Amino acid sequence: MAYDTSNVFARILRGEIPCKKVHEDEHVLAFHDIAPKAPVHVLVIPKKPYVSLDDFTREAGAEEVGRFFKAVGDVARKLGVDQSGYRTILNTGGHGGQEVPHIHAHILGGRAIGPMVMTR
Ligand code: 5GP
């Protein structure tokens, strides 16, 4: 699947739409989810244009993938949920329920998050 440069996270990265920033460096941006599902709900994205976890782990090297996951842990510590615990979710593709086609890790915390797979 080709990267769609008009997706909402690409627009956030270009500064076309605002976000509530938690962390930014050369490689990653972390910001609050617009529709939080928990008291803490933050999204962490690499700045480079990868569609999904599938695309990311096909195309990026181990160093880049490792740097991204390290950033997710760093952001969780910055949010203060490392001691209480948190859930990290990476939805991938249709069956994974991915809505925005730019890879993102959800960090959910601030309360017990409940069953691992949410039913609807
Ligand atoms: P997905 O279902 O793709 O894993 O998650 C996409 C997430 O992006 C959803 O939790 C949704 O609330 C969030 N989201 C969608 N549009 C925006 C936006 O414009 N700004 C922010 N901050 N979050 C968004």
Side-chain angles (χ1 to χ4, degrees):
M1 185 180 166
Y3 184 82
D4 171 11
T5 57
S6 68
N7 82 74
V8 71
F9 295 167
R11 298 188 62 206
I12 286 175
L13 283 167
R14 290 196 296 268
E16 292 169 10
I17 49 178
C19 70
K20 273 176 66 186
K21 213 173 276 184
V22 171
H23 169 80
E24 181 170 20
D25 63 32
E26 191 186 344
H27 304 289
V28 302
L29 176 67
F31 51 95
H32 291 276
D33 196 290
I34 203 167
K37 309 287 190 297
V40 173
H41 187 174
V42 164
L43 304 170
V44 187
I45 66 174
K47 288 190 169 177
K48 283 177 76 174
Y50 297 107
V51 176
S52 64
L53 183 67
D54 181 61
D55 183 30
F56 190 44
T57 54
R58 284 174 194 268
E59 300 298 329
E63 191 185 332
E64 194 176 351
V65 171
R67 192 165 50 219
F68 175 68
F69 280 97
K70 199 161 170 49
V72 173
D74 290 344
V75 169
R77 282 184 287 279
K78 188 169 183 177
L79 292 164
V81 294
D82 52 305
Q83 296 301 313
S84 50
Y86 56 94
R87 179 159 304 151
T88 312
I89 299 175
L90 279 131
N91 295 322
T92 303
H95 283 187
Q98 183 178 3
E99 288 169 9
V100 179
H102 181 116
I103 182 178
H104 50 281
H106 297 253
I107 296 174
L108 294 145
R111 66 163 165 79
I113 299 302
M116 187 169 73
V117 176
M118 290 158 217
T119 52
R120 39 177 157 160

